[in-house]
Amino acid sequence: MTSNQLNRVCVVGAGAIGGWIGAQLAAAGCELSMVARGATLQALLLHGLRLQVPVGAEPVDAQSAAPGSLRTQVHTVQASSDPTALGVQDLVVIAVKAPALLQVARGIAPLIGPDTVVLPAMNGVPWWFFQGFGGGFSGTRLLSVDPSGEIGAAIGAEHVIGCVVHASCTQVEPGLVRHYFGKRLIIGEPSGQKTRRVLQLAALLQGAGFEAVVSEQIQMDTWYKLWGNMTVNPVSAITGATTDLILDDDLVRHFISGVMLEAREIGARIGIPMDQQPEDRHAVTRRLGAFKTSMLQDVEAGRAVELDALVTVVKELGALTGVPTPQTDTLLGLARLHARVRGLY
């Protein structure tokens, strides 16, 4: 790759994370375009991409950010609902919720050329998880996240560099994103190799102000984030509780820990051993303060929930690896029923 091959950047999904990443890259001089629809598209065309960032010390959580402690950046962006109008890109950032990914995959072809890098900045276990990884499970298609195989066919693993996001952002209104804290992006080739393109991408992200780190096993970073998200997210969606209240309840915390132990055993059998206990992960969550999870925010906004990429896939992996998952099954059943009753699954 030449030094300028990651200059043309398109973000698919102009929400909180996509807007934050796009704005940072635009500020660093990238030629930014975004695939958007409806009110978001109109806002981007009328006002540009707007990002509010903390002035001085970062707030410890979303609730502690006073309006006066934020400044607004505005970035010009080429936006369209039709990827064909935007053309082939050097870097495509996919920042949608998992339920929307199939629709994205069906329309993404005009953005992808032979050398295009695709960076999925999404929660949960991705469709490319077992590409170049997993021992005897290598090459396995996970039906929970890509049931028809269309996603993997449309976005080949040869284009993908995995990404795990550790940041807190919210979409205040269409086209306006607020970043609270955290700038860490862990990236890595599915194969674990430190290729020229992953090092080039890391340099681009670092130059744009991200704390970008290249992982030798991006699946492990994905699984570790999932280890907390797969429990606290659906419990918060069902109960409406913030994370502090969830972890302060001994019975709920004990149940969550049981689910996590099942996932830890699955991880060990696919090549991701963990030496941590659930309480160690709870301590990390506690340090983030009292906040509403993304799944709870989706429920409150009437959006489809990401259950399959966070929980259903763990049940599937349990069956593949021979690990019983009774506690995971209970959590999935309750969360799925809760979402179905509300038309969110």
Side-chain angles (χ1 to χ4, degrees):
M1 284 187 175
T2 60
S3 60
N4 64 352
Q5 271 194 292
L6 294 180
N7 185 58
R8 285 176 54 83
V9 178
C10 182
V11 175
V12 182
I17 295 298
W20 169 59
I21 292 176
Q24 293 283 110
L25 290 172
C30 290
E31 182 184 328
L32 179 68
S33 60
M34 304 188 90
V35 177
R37 292 174 176 79
T40 300
L41 174 60
Q42 294 306 312
L44 292 172
L45 294 174
L46 189 61
H47 304 296
L49 174 61
R50 293 162 293 157
L51 174 67
Q52 294 181 335
V53 295
V55 176
E58 293 181 343
V60 293
D61 57 48
Q63 286 71 32
S64 67
S69 65
L70 301 165
R71 62 183 174 86
T72 302
Q73 306 171 0
V74 181
H75 302 281
T76 301
V77 56
Q78 184 180 0
S80 176
S81 60
D82 181 9
T84 305
L86 303 176
V88 172
Q89 304 289 315
D90 304 321
L91 172 65
V92 176
V93 180
I94 303 178
V96 299
K97 296 292 179 72
L101 184 58
L102 179 57
Q103 183 180 1
V104 167
R106 287 170 174 168
I108 203 171
L111 302 176
I112 300 179
D115 298 319
T116 300
V117 172
V118 177
L119 187 74
M122 301 172 61
N123 282 330
V125 175
W127 76 94
W128 51 264
F129 192 70
F130 279 130
Q131 301 302 315
F133 164 80
F137 300 104
S138 182
T140 300
R141 174 163 58 89
L142 293 167
L143 300 179
S144 301
V145 292
D146 191 9
S148 65
E150 284 187 72
I151 296 171
I155 312 170
E158 69 275 12
H159 291 285
V160 171
I161 291 180
C163 178
V164 178
V165 179
H166 291 285
S168 176
C169 304
T170 189
Q171 186 177 42
V172 181
E173 62 183 53
L176 174 61
V177 171
R178 186 174 296 166
H179 173 248
Y180 295 107
F181 62 88
K183 298 178 181 179
R184 188 172 177 83
L185 299 182
I186 305 173
I187 64 172
E189 294 277 6
S191 66
Q193 296 177 308
K194 289 196 173 180
T195 60
R196 183 178 180 181
R197 69 176 190 173
V198 77
L199 296 175
Q200 183 184 21
L201 177 58
L204 172 68
L205 294 172
Q206 290 162 2
F210 299 102
E211 296 170 6
V213 178
V214 177
S215 172
E216 294 182 357
Q217 190 185 62
I218 191 65
Q219 290 87 348
M220 177 166 57
D221 301 288
T222 300
W223 195 255
Y224 180 74
K225 184 175 182 183
L226 177 83
W227 205 40
N229 281 354
M230 68 169 289
T231 51
V232 175
N233 265 272
V235 169
S236 70
I238 295 168
T239 63
T242 51
T243 52
D244 58 324
L245 298 177
I246 291 170
L247 294 178
D248 284 345
D249 188 299
D250 293 341
L251 295 178
V252 175
R253 191 178 66 255
H254 179 73
F255 169 67
I256 284 175
S257 294
V259 177
M260 293 173 72
L261 289 173
E262 293 174 358
R264 189 177 71 170
E265 178 58 26
I266 292 168
R269 297 193 187 190
I270 61 176
I272 308 175
M274 284 188 188
D275 58 4
Q276 289 194 354
Q277 297 296 325
E279 287 294 338
D280 300 322
R281 187 65 173 81
H282 298 334
V284 173
T285 303
R286 284 187 184 279
R287 287 199 294 271
L288 297 177
F291 68 93
K292 292 183 178 182
T293 68
S294 60
M295 193 176 290
L296 175 55
Q297 292 179 51
D298 287 341
V299 168
E300 291 180 342
R303 295 188 292 259
V305 294
E306 294 185 292
L307 274 178
D308 288 336
L310 293 180
V311 190
T312 311
V313 71
V314 178
K315 175 179 172 61
E316 180 182 356
L317 286 167
L320 282 173
T321 56
V323 177
T325 56
Q327 307 234 50
T328 302
D329 295 354
T330 300
L331 178 62
L332 174 60
L334 291 170
R336 189 169 58 190
L337 181 59
H338 173 270
R340 278 178 172 159
V341 168
R342 287 157 180 78
L344 307 179
Y345 178 82

